[in-house]
């Protein structure tokens, strides 16, 4: 069986989805994969990465490169591996959270009475002598054993693995600190005679059961908080997953069968009834309806869908019934791509995180050395109970130096930032994008589809020689009905808008002349729509203004005068503004003309102004002609314009700016933008654009709103600022806490730090970092 070169799925050799390339036939599971392959082999995008064998793989959220076909512990840090690809089942799988929560409950239940037994007398709490001296130590051992041996087992497993692999991390210190405290206390209870008298306090060896138990309890609390925070970052993905209906109604041999969504294949005909969700990305083949696409695109107005229109899986059908043909299913749908982007981004690491990881690698052995020096210094040079004090201070150093906050500083900010971006329709492909996007100074932006709507729209109808605007538009729309040209679609949509959805009159004898226009018989009248030369072949008489004018969205302009032997100055004015003018002749007589433009998106002007206010240098790149590009640039306030560019020429502009020492971001939506998107420091693709553009970019704007360009910059700056705050707090905490725990203040004021207090401070630092990162969820753009 042949293999799809894009996704790796097996394909039926009888499939019509195939492509000949360099004498070899390639087969594809869907049209989306075929288009991607054609684009890539044409040089418009980099070659696809190697495809893993089908199946679910598991990766470590903290260690890049760790990938396993089975769920297990990370061989580097010991953390539980997570599914590489997010799914509804994966998101709802909270087994690790439930396991740690159970361990936390047991640990807290045992640690509270243990804390009372050990610390009660110090705060004046009266306890019977049998609890203080007789059975008290054994009771402390009984209460602490389940906490250390069962509740803390995952922590010790991670610590052991980090030592075996020489990848020191926060669990290394946790294991060393709590293990030393528990083992020393165990020996003191079971074999007290082995403990030198110099270690005794009040005639008994000192016990640190409560320190070990409370430390593990607080670390478990931090782990539970982190796991809950990680689940919260998946809320946006859960919302997207919930958009897809669980079933679809497939039409087969005249019968309608309700099937699970996973059983829908490309080419299946599906019926979507009023009020139902569209099951997959598809094309309408029967019926018409208004579809609410706001959950995916953010647009509040329903979109009217006719035969041939594309519909997005998860969007809500209105009052009409549609029959659609599945075009993209499974992981090829827009929703699946969004989910995959968020999944990859939340598990990626920013370059700034490597700084924290490198520091942590040196930090752990340094702290262990400091703890050893502290123990020996107190043991040999201390005055009263030197070894007990030395062990206490050494354990306190191991605990307070635990780099929990350091390990959480970057990944927590990245995860929350990615989740916040997904809620705003900004999909970050990997964490490195945040750091790169923050430093850009030059913004290269495509015109069509990014700043403009990307599809022509009828803006003006000018009627002359006695024709009314409605009559002119009705005849032109009827003639254009047989054409598949985008300008014809603009005329038809303009007529539908003007007439309130009234159907066009039937036309006969339709003919199309490439580069010229179309002609047809409409209601017994010969109608020509196209260029002036195409219309002049009918020996047009001198036009005379009728006074008929319909304005669709723009201010009125001057009409041609009756003395004008040509079409008049008005069409030239529109052409100077970047419009395409279509002339109309009826029965050899000039009837008027239509102005069609690619309208600038409503949010584009404000977005350009905001980008300027952020200190960015703007350059508009377009394959359109110079006149149209200048017109759009003038309206938006963009001075630097590169027009008439081919795909390789757009790359040339990106590389030119890079060689000049500028950090570039490229925003676009088409296949022709894909090379430039990949070449820029950061590529931003409009979610309404092509699959190739989305695959080539580091950021995707689901809504296709130019405002998202500004929001992406603001999000990156907020995330990087948050990371620096977390790192500063973590380093400052350790720099201040270690000397205090080592007892440097003891010779002056007799101040030492109990390991339990050190554990509280350590956990407080981690909670502070998590809380600071979660502030990004409230970020307002």
């Amino acid at each position: 069986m042949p293999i799809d070169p894009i996704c790796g799925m097996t394909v039926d050799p009888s499939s019509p989805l195939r492509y000949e390339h360099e004498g070899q036939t390639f087969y594809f599971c869907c049209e989306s994969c075929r288009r991607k392959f054609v684009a890539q082999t044409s040089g418009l995008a980099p070659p696809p990465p190697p495809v893993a064998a089908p199946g679910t793989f598991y990766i470590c959220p903290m260690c890049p490169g760790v990938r396993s076909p089975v769920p297990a512990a990370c061989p580097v840090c010991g953390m539980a591996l997570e599914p590489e690809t997010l799914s509804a089942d994966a998101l709802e799988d909270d087994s690790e959270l439930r396991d740690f929560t159970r361990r936390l409950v047991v640990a807290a239940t045992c640690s509270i009475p243990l804390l009372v037994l050990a610390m009660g007398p110090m705060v004046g709490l009266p306890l019977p002598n049998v609890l203080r001296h007789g059975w008290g130590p054994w009771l402390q051992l009984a209460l602490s054993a389940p906490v250390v041996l069962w509740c803390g087992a995952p922590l010790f497993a991670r610590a052991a693995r980090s030592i075996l692999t020489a990848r020191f991390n926060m669990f290394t210190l946790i294991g060393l600190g709590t293990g030393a405290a528990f083992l020393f206390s165990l020996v003191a209870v079971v074999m007290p005679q082995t403990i030198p008298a110099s270690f005794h306090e009040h005639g008994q060896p000192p016990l640190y059961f409560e320190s070990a138990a409370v430390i593990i309890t607080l670390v478990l609390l931090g782990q539970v908080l982190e796991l809950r925070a990680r689940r919260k970052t998946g809320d946006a993905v859960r919302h997207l997953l919930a958009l897809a209906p669980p079933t679809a109604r497939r039409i087969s041999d005249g019968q309608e069968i309700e099937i699970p969504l996973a059983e829908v294949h490309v080419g299946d005909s599906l019926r979507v009834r009023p009020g139902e969700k569209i099951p997959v990305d598809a094309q309408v083949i029967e019926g018409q309806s208004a579809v609410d696409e706001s959950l995916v695109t953010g647009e509040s107005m329903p979109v009217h869908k006719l035969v041939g229109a594309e519909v997005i899986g998860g969007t809500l059908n209105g009052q009409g019934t549609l029959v659609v043909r599945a075009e993209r299913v499974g992981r090829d749908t827009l929703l699946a791509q969004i989910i995959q982007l968020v999944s990859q981004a939340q598990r990626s690491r920013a370059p700034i995180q490597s700084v924290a990881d490198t520091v942590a690698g040196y930090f752990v052995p340094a702290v262990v050395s400091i703890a050893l020096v502290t123990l020996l210094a107190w043991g040999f040079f201390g005055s009263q109970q030197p070894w007990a004090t030395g062990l206490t201070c050494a354990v306190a150093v191991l605990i307070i130096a635990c780099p929990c906050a350091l390990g959480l500083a970057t990944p927590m900010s990245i995860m929350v930032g990615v989740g916040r971006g997904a809620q705003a329709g900004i999909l970050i492909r990997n964490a490195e994008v945040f750091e790169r996007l923050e430093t850009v100074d030059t913004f290269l932006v495509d015109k069509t589809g990014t700043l403009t709507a990307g599809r022509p729209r009828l803006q003006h109808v000018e009627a002359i020689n006695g024709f009314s605007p409605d009559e002119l538009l009705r005849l032109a729309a009827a003639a254009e009905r047989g054409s598949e040209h985008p300008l014809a679609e603009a005329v038809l949509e303009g007529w539908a808008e003007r007439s309130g959805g009234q159907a066009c009159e039937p036309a006969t004898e339709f003919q199309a002349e490439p580069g010229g226009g179309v002609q047809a018989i409409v209601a017994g009248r010969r109608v020509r729509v196209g260029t002036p030369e195409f219309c002049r072949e009918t020996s047009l008489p001198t036009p005379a203004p009728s006074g008929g004018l319909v304005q669709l969205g723009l201010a009125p302009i001057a009409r041609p005068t009756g003395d004008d032997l040509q079409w008049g100055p008005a069409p030239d004015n529109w052409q100077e503004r970047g419009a395409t003018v279509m002339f109309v002749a009826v029965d050899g007589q000039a009837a008027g003309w239509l102005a069609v433009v690619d309208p600038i998106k409503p949010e584009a002007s404000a977005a350009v102004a905001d980008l300027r206010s952020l200190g960015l240098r703007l350059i508009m790149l377009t394959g359109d002609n110079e006149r149209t590009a200048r017109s759009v640039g003038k309206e938006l306030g963009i001075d630097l314009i590169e027009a008439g560019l081919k795909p390789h020429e757009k790359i040339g502009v990106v590389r030119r700016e890079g060689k000049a020492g500028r950090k570039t971001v490229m925003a676009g939506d088409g296949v022709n933008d894909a090379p430039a998107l990949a070449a820029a420091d950061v590529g931003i693709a409009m979610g309404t654009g092509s699959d190739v553009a989305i695959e080539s970019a580091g950021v995707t704007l689901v809504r296709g709103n130019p405002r998202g360009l500004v929001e992406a910059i603001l999000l990156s700056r907020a995330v990087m600022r948050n990371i620096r705050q977390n790192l500063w707090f973590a380093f400052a905490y350790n720099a201040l806490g270690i000397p205090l725990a080592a007892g440097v203040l003891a010779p002056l004021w007799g101040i030492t730090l109990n390991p339990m207090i050190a554990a509280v401070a350590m956990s407080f630092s981690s909670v502070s970092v998590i809380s600071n990162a979660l502030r990004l969820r409230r970020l307002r753009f």
Side-chain angles (χ1 to χ4, degrees):
M1 298 289 284
I3 302 295
D4 188 318
I6 296 296
C7 67
M9 294 183 64
T10 56
V11 183
D12 188 339
S14 63
S15 169
L17 296 173
R18 62 185 70 181
Y19 179 67
E20 299 287 339
H21 179 64
E22 297 181 352
Q24 186 176 357
T25 302
F26 295 88
Y27 296 84
F28 305 90
C29 67
C30 63
E31 179 61 20
S32 176
C33 286
R34 191 188 72 83
R35 289 200 307 268
K36 291 178 185 177
F37 183 81
V38 172
Q40 290 166 353
T41 54
S42 302
L44 295 180
V51 178
T56 300
F57 283 85
Y58 298 83
I59 62 175
C60 177
M62 294 297 293
C63 303
V66 175
R67 194 165 183 262
S68 169
V70 295
C74 174
V76 176
C77 69
M79 291 187 68
L81 300 183
E82 299 179 354
E84 185 176 34
T85 302
L86 287 179
S87 64
D89 293 337
L91 284 172
E92 296 306 322
D93 181 16
D94 57 353
S95 56
E96 186 178 16
L97 174 59
R98 287 187 282 107
D99 177 55
F100 271 79
T101 302
R102 284 194 299 267
R103 294 176 190 271
L104 174 61
V105 171
V106 173
T109 303
C110 294
S111 297
I112 292 174
L114 178 60
L115 191 61
V116 172
L117 283 174
M119 307 297 293
M122 298 183 185
V123 296
L125 183 67
L127 291 176
N129 285 334
V130 69
L131 294 180
R132 296 183 61 182
H133 303 291
W135 290 98
W138 290 96
L139 184 56
Q140 289 187 42
L141 172 61
L143 289 171
S144 64
V147 178
V148 175
L149 301 179
W150 182 74
C151 300
L155 310 181
F156 285 107
R158 296 176 184 180
R161 188 169 295 276
S162 70
I163 294 174
L164 292 175
T165 58
R167 299 286 188 93
F168 303 119
N169 52 45
M170 66 177 183
F171 298 110
T172 313
L173 289 177
I174 293 169
L176 291 175
T178 57
F182 181 78
L183 289 176
F184 179 89
S185 302
L186 178 63
V187 172
V189 171
V190 178
M191 296 181 292
Q193 68 279 5
T194 62
I195 305 297
S198 59
F199 276 75
H200 290 200
E201 296 177 351
H202 306 293
Q204 290 185 335
L207 302 178
Y208 299 101
F209 287 125
E210 84 287 350
S211 296
V214 172
I215 288 168
I216 289 176
T217 301
L218 293 174
V219 171
L220 287 174
L221 175 61
Q223 291 293 298
V224 169
L225 291 175
E226 179 185 351
L227 290 169
R228 287 184 176 178
R230 291 178 65 86
R231 279 184 56 82
K232 288 181 179 179
T233 61
D235 288 346
V237 178
R238 287 188 190 86
H239 176 69
L240 292 171
L241 282 169
L243 293 179
T247 61
R249 301 182 64 83
R250 183 168 62 193
I251 302 175
S252 179
D253 298 328
Q255 301 289 326
E256 291 187 16
I257 306 173
E258 187 167 353
I259 60 173
L261 188 63
E263 296 182 10
V264 176
H265 298 90
V266 173
D268 284 352
S269 295
L270 310 172
R271 185 177 299 279
V272 184
R273 296 178 296 188
E276 291 184 340
K277 291 181 178 180
I278 308 293
V280 295
D281 295 357
Q283 185 180 54
V284 178
I285 59 176
E286 182 181 321
Q288 58 177 320
S289 181
V291 177
D292 180 2
E293 297 183 340
S294 60
L295 292 177
V296 175
T297 65
E299 300 296 331
S300 58
M301 292 296 294
V303 180
H304 194 69
K305 301 292 184 180
L306 302 172
V307 173
E310 299 287 337
V311 290
I312 302 171
T315 56
L316 185 63
N317 184 30
Q319 298 300 315
T321 297
L322 297 175
V323 177
V324 301
R325 181 176 59 248
E327 297 286 337
R328 291 180 292 275
V329 301
R331 57 182 171 183
D332 292 318
T333 63
L334 176 61
L335 284 177
Q337 292 175 9
I338 291 173
I339 292 165
Q340 185 62 21
L341 285 174
V342 174
S343 173
Q344 292 173 354
Q346 288 188 336
R347 293 183 173 95
S348 58
R349 296 153 69 88
I352 195 172
Q353 186 170 343
S354 63
V355 176
D357 295 339
T358 302
V359 171
Y362 292 103
F363 184 73
V364 172
V367 167
V368 172
S369 300
I370 292 173
L372 182 60
V373 170
T374 299
L375 173 62
L376 296 177
W378 276 101
F380 287 111
F381 303 107
S383 56
Q384 296 181 351
Q385 299 178 333
W387 290 104
T389 303
L391 181 61
T392 300
C393 291
V395 171
V397 168
L398 292 174
I399 298 307
I400 202 167
C402 172
C404 295
L406 189 63
L408 292 174
T410 297
M412 281 302 302
S413 297
I414 292 296
M415 288 188 299
V416 178
V418 167
R420 179 65 185 91
Q423 291 176 347
I426 304 169
L427 306 180
I428 308 297
R429 181 177 294 277
N430 54 61
E432 186 178 355
V433 168
F434 284 124
E435 189 165 355
R436 290 185 174 185
L437 194 56
E438 184 204 25
T439 62
V440 297
D441 53 29
T442 300
F443 212 112
L444 308 169
V445 59
D446 174 56
K447 178 183 73 69
T448 306
T450 304
L451 297 175
T452 66
R455 54 182 300 180
R457 179 178 175 84
L458 182 66
Q459 289 289 341
H460 181 80
V461 179
E462 180 77 13
I464 59 177
N465 255 0
F467 287 89
S468 70
D470 287 348
E471 182 183 17
L472 176 69
L473 186 56
R474 175 178 60 82
L475 294 173
E480 291 281 11
R481 187 177 183 183
S483 174
E484 297 179 353
H485 196 279
L487 295 178
E489 183 179 351
V491 173
L492 291 170
E493 290 180 353
W495 166 249
E497 179 183 336
R498 177 70 177 174
S499 66
Q502 181 178 340
C504 293
E505 296 182 51
T508 59
E509 300 183 21
F510 172 83
Q511 294 181 3
E513 180 180 312
V518 301
Q519 67 173 347
I521 302 298
V522 181
R525 311 177 76 175
R526 181 167 297 277
V527 180
R528 283 195 170 207
V529 184
T531 64
E533 294 74 19
F534 179 74
C535 292
R536 284 196 186 101
E537 294 179 5
T538 57
S539 302
L540 299 175
T542 301
S546 66
L549 173 68
V550 58
Q551 193 71 35
L552 302 178
L554 294 174
I557 58 174
R559 291 191 186 86
T561 64
D563 298 332
D564 191 352
L565 299 179
Q566 302 299 321
W567 291 97
D572 294 335
N573 292 342
W574 277 94
Q575 289 171 337
E576 288 297 326
R577 295 161 65 176
T580 300
V581 176
M582 306 167 63
F583 298 88
V584 183
V586 179
D587 292 334
Q589 181 183 29
W593 46 268
L594 315 173
V596 177
V597 301
D598 181 7
I600 295 174
K601 292 182 177 180
E603 308 87 355
S605 181
V608 168
D610 289 341
L611 289 173
R612 283 184 176 279
S613 68
L614 293 175
L616 298 173
R617 176 170 168 264
L618 297 179
I619 303 177
M620 186 172 73
L621 308 182
T622 178
D624 210 340
N625 62 75
E626 181 81 15
R627 183 175 60 184
T628 301
R630 292 291 175 190
S631 173
V632 173
K634 182 179 180 181
E635 185 169 346
L636 292 176
I638 302 176
D639 298 326
L640 299 176
I641 296 172
E642 303 268 357
L645 299 179
K646 301 293 190 298
H648 67 278
E649 293 172 328
K650 289 188 176 182
I651 281 189
V653 175
V654 173
R655 291 174 177 169
R656 180 195 72 198
E657 296 297 319
K659 289 179 180 179
R662 298 186 176 96
K663 301 294 184 180
T664 58
V665 55
M666 171 69 190
D669 77 317
V671 172
N672 63 326
D673 298 319
L677 291 171
D681 291 300
V682 179
I684 300 181
M686 313 304 281
T688 52
S690 68
D691 292 340
V692 175
I694 293 174
E695 290 294 330
S696 303
V699 180
T700 299
L701 305 181
V702 176
R703 302 186 179 105
N705 186 335
R707 174 64 189 171
L709 302 175
V710 181
E711 294 175 349
I713 298 290
L714 295 175
L715 177 64
S716 69
R717 294 183 178 182
V719 169
M720 294 307 299
R721 184 168 58 249
N722 193 270
I723 289 174
R724 293 189 182 96
Q725 291 169 352
N726 286 346
L727 290 176
W728 180 90
F729 185 88
F731 283 120
Y733 161 80
N734 287 319
L736 294 174
I738 290 177
L740 181 62
V744 296
L745 299 181
L748 298 177
W749 295 289
I751 297 176
T752 58
L753 193 65
N754 188 283
M756 184 190 64
I757 304 301
V760 173
M762 177 270 297
S763 294
F764 173 76
S765 69
S766 299
V767 172
S768 298
V769 165
I770 293 173
S771 301
N772 187 50
L774 290 176
R775 290 193 307 112
L776 290 171
R777 300 175 63 202
R778 301 191 297 272
L779 179 65
R780 295 292 180 264
F781 300 109

